Structure formats: structure tokens, C-alpha cells
Amino acid sequence: MAKHISDQPNAQDALSDTEVIPITEEELRLDKREVTTGKVRVRTSVDVETELVKATLEGETIEVTRVPIDRIVERAPEVRTENDVTIIPILEEVLIVEKRLVLKEELHLHRRRTVEDVETPVELRKQRAIIERVHSDDDTNSST
């Protein structure tokens, strides 16, 4: 029996001449679950023992004494040690303001005398008093 294969089989040929072969595939599925197989309890305990410890402790104290000097120096003194005393100089820069007279310049003034004759009109004001005497009706003269 010859089977006819075409690009477009008709429905009747497909039913009568076709054999169906199932395709199967296996799948793996892995699951995990927690299973309690036993229990444990953890506990701690502290034991205290007392021991006697001996040690020698050394200490040192320092006493600071401020000694005022207030002296002008040319350069900073070094840190020095005298007997068991370490001496550390403490310095301060001080601004010194000084006033001095400085002759900056001189002004030289020369006097020259000149003589000149001039004529200029000048207005002069002069006040004068006018006195009038008032006489009785008989007197007709007045003086100035």
C-alpha cells in the first residue's frame, strides 16, 4: 500500500491512511522537605576561681611650678634639665611700637619787598547829625 504525501492532504486521506504515534517525554521533579531526626540542647556554665596575683606598680607625679622671668632675649632658649628639673621656656612675641621724630623736609621761605604806588577810587561814608530846635510860635528861626 502506497502512501501519498502531499503538502495539503485532504481530510479523508488523513483519517484513513494516518497512523498516530504518541510522543512522550519524561520530566524530573525534585522536592525537598525538612525532617526532624532529633533535638539537642546547648547550655553554658561558668565556674569562678579566685587566685591571688602579686604585682609591683610604679607611678610618677609631676609638679609644675611657673617661674616668671619677663626678660627680653635675642633667641629662644633650649629645653634644659638641671638636677631632676626639666625647664621648658615659654616665649611670647611682643609688638613694640616706638615713636621717633623724622625730619622729612624743610620749607625755605624767601621774603622780597616790593613798593608800588597805586590810585584807586574809594567810597567813604560819613554820617552827620542834623539838629533842629523847635521853638515856640513866636520864633521862626531854626538852627543847624
Side-chain angles (χ1 to χ4, degrees), residues 39-55:
K39 293 184 179 184
V40 294
R41 178 179 296 171
V42 177
R43 217 171 44 122
T44 60
S45 172
V46 177
D47 295 330
V48 178
E49 292 182 17
T50 304
E51 291 186 25
L52 187 60
V53 176
K54 292 183 181 181

Side-chain angles (χ1 to χ4, degrees), residues 80-98:
R80 65 188 188 279
T81 303
E82 295 177 3
N83 298 328
D84 286 336
V85 178
T86 302
I87 299 169
I88 301 171
I90 306 298
L91 300 169
E92 176 183 47
E93 285 185 333
V94 178
L95 179 64
I96 297 175
V97 177
E98 184 177 324

Side-chain angles (χ1 to χ4, degrees), residues 73-78 91:
V73 293
E74 295 296 320
R75 63 182 180 81
E78 299 290 326
L91 300 169

